[in-house]
Amino acid sequence: KYHKILLSEIKSEKSELFSETVMTEHKMKLIKAKDEKNVENIIEVLLSLRVNALQISPEQRRSLVAELIRNDIFQISKMSSNAFVLDLLDISSHGLKHAICALISVIASTPQGVEYLIQVDMEIARKTIEILKDQEDGSVTQRF
């Protein structure tokens, strides 16, 4: 029993370190892919971040969201603007809309995440809801 507890503690410490290291890499890749207008790479980074969020325990998800915010993954705090996210939401790609809505959903799962997303205004929330309403009934993206 104690062995399982110790193993779980060691595992959670490793996943926290992993996500912190990976976070900076992902942020740089996301910025670069957006600057290059490389939709496939943007989707890859966004989905990778979401997969990381789904692979950790729900108890640690708050820490991951805090890490996403601390690293200003969407450049909202740094730029005092929603432009980075809104530009991504405006790209005409179903896969990208799915990926960005999925990550927004992860971030919005905590009060701090909601504050992060609406610190400038409600435009990210409004645009995300608009995208979700435009999806076919029962689509994967709508579940967010």
Side-chain angles (χ1 to χ4, degrees), residues 84-143:
F84 189 87
V85 184
L86 295 176
D87 289 349
L88 293 177
L89 289 169
D90 283 338
I91 295 173
S92 181
S93 163
H94 178 73
L96 178 55
K97 289 189 188 317
H98 173 79
I100 190 73
C101 286
L103 190 57
I104 287 171
S105 171
V106 168
I107 293 171
S109 69
T110 70
Q112 294 81 8
V114 172
E115 285 178 27
Y116 174 69
L117 293 170
I118 65 170
Q119 63 184 291
V120 174
D121 59 28
M122 295 291 291
E123 195 60 22
I124 294 173
R126 189 197 64 72
K127 185 71 176 171
T128 303
I129 291 167
E130 184 181 302
I131 288 169
L132 296 178
K133 282 182 177 177
D134 288 345
Q135 299 298 307
E136 288 181 33
D137 286 342
S139 77
V140 172
T141 307
Q142 262 191 348
R143 72 179 176 198

Side-chain angles (χ1 to χ4, degrees), residues 21-44:
T21 305
V22 166
M23 198 68 62
T24 305
E25 289 176 13
H26 279 58
K27 180 181 175 182
M28 294 302 116
K29 286 180 185 176
L30 182 60
I31 292 168
K32 182 178 183 213
K34 182 182 177 285
D35 289 345
E36 295 173 349
K37 297 180 181 5
N38 187 330
V39 174
E40 288 180 19
N41 286 354
I42 295 170
I43 293 169
E44 181 183 321

